Amino acid sequence: MSFDLVSCILIFFGIICIVLLTNLYKWYRTNKICNLYVEWLAKSKITFNIHHYKSEILSLVAVVPPKMIAYSQPLGYGQIANGQAYVMDQFPSRREDFASAILQTMEEAIGYYKFQVRQCINPIYWIESFVWLPKRLTTFLGLNSELKAMKLVNLFFQLIYWSILLLKFFGYDLIPILHHVLPEYIAT
């Protein structure tokens, strides 16, 4: 085994460990805050301030599409206010309709992190990630992959990526090929 192959394998396993630990931690924290919220809902006397967890839980459940819930609230004098509110903006709430929607959102986030932990040990996931690396990178960078221009850029980078992989697979050295294709741009 060459040094390059060993380095690549170590980097790959390092990435797997980082992704696994990150998702395990997020799974644990989401579950912990969900349990604290259930405790807060069940008891009137508690020893912690549930409001301290709002920023963290909003960050953790960002993987779940935001939901809105319709509400009606009496204002008095025969008046009723109707509207819609984002579910997680109401955290923490003891209102039954909001509380059940908040718990459902937290459970969906827990399920997402469980799925991501399982994906870390799924070889098909890593093969797919390797094959579609440019697309994954643009998604990771937060670029909107639904725009037509971005789809074209993804396709262009994907073709270049596959070409490089094929050339490396068949044992071609890429530096002489680059010198031949782009002679005036490559400094010697």
Side-chain angles (χ1 to χ4, degrees):
M1 281 212 275
S2 70
F3 177 73
D4 291 334
L5 183 59
V6 171
S7 297
C8 288
I9 290 171
L10 289 176
I11 289 170
F12 177 70
F13 281 116
I15 291 171
I16 289 175
C17 288
I18 289 169
V19 171
L20 180 67
L21 290 175
T22 301
N23 285 304
L24 278 172
Y25 177 74
K26 289 179 178 183
W27 177 13
Y28 168 76
R29 287 304 299 165
T30 308
N31 198 34
K32 177 76 171 168
I33 295 171
C34 185
N35 290 337
L36 288 172
Y37 183 57
V38 169
E39 181 181 341
W40 181 79
L41 288 172
K43 299 178 183 176
S44 59
K45 297 278 186 182
I46 50 173
T47 59
F48 58 90
N49 188 347
I50 193 71
H51 297 279
H52 291 177
Y53 299 99
K54 183 168 185 167
S55 296
E56 185 178 6
I57 197 64
L58 288 177
S59 171
L60 290 168
V61 300
V63 296
V64 177
K67 298 180 186 113
M68 295 189 82
I69 190 167
Y71 67 88
S72 295
Q73 186 171 346
L75 297 175
Y77 302 111
Q79 301 291 317
I80 295 178
N82 295 317
Q84 289 186 335
Y86 283 104
V87 169
M88 290 311 294
D89 286 346
Q90 307 310 311
F91 179 86
S93 176
R94 284 195 164 105
R95 266 183 67 163
E96 188 176 327
D97 53 348
F98 288 136
S100 64
I102 290 169
L103 284 172
Q104 179 185 0
T105 303
M106 285 188 203
E107 291 295 332
E108 287 177 23
I110 290 168
Y112 173 82
Y113 293 122
K114 276 184 178 179
F115 175 71
Q116 291 301 316
V117 166
R118 284 193 309 271
Q119 290 292 70
C120 285
I121 57 174
N122 181 356
I124 295 171
Y125 170 79
W126 290 105
I127 291 169
E128 185 180 274
S129 294
F130 182 73
V131 169
W132 298 104
L133 186 64
K135 182 179 178 183
R136 297 277 177 144
L137 286 176
T138 55
T139 304
F140 175 75
L141 293 173
L143 303 174
N144 187 353
S145 61
E146 295 303 315
L147 295 174
K148 289 192 186 277
M150 207 56 228
K151 287 182 181 182
L152 189 61
V153 169
N154 271 339
L155 177 65
F156 177 71
F157 283 126
Q158 194 69 48
L159 290 173
I160 291 173
Y161 174 71
W162 286 339
S163 301
I164 291 170
L165 286 179
L166 280 173
L167 289 171
K168 287 300 275 180
F169 179 75
F170 289 118
Y172 289 102
D173 189 12
L174 296 177
I175 301 301
I177 294 172
L178 288 176
H179 278 294
H180 181 69
V181 173
L182 305 169
E184 66 269 3
Y185 296 112
I186 298 176
T188 55

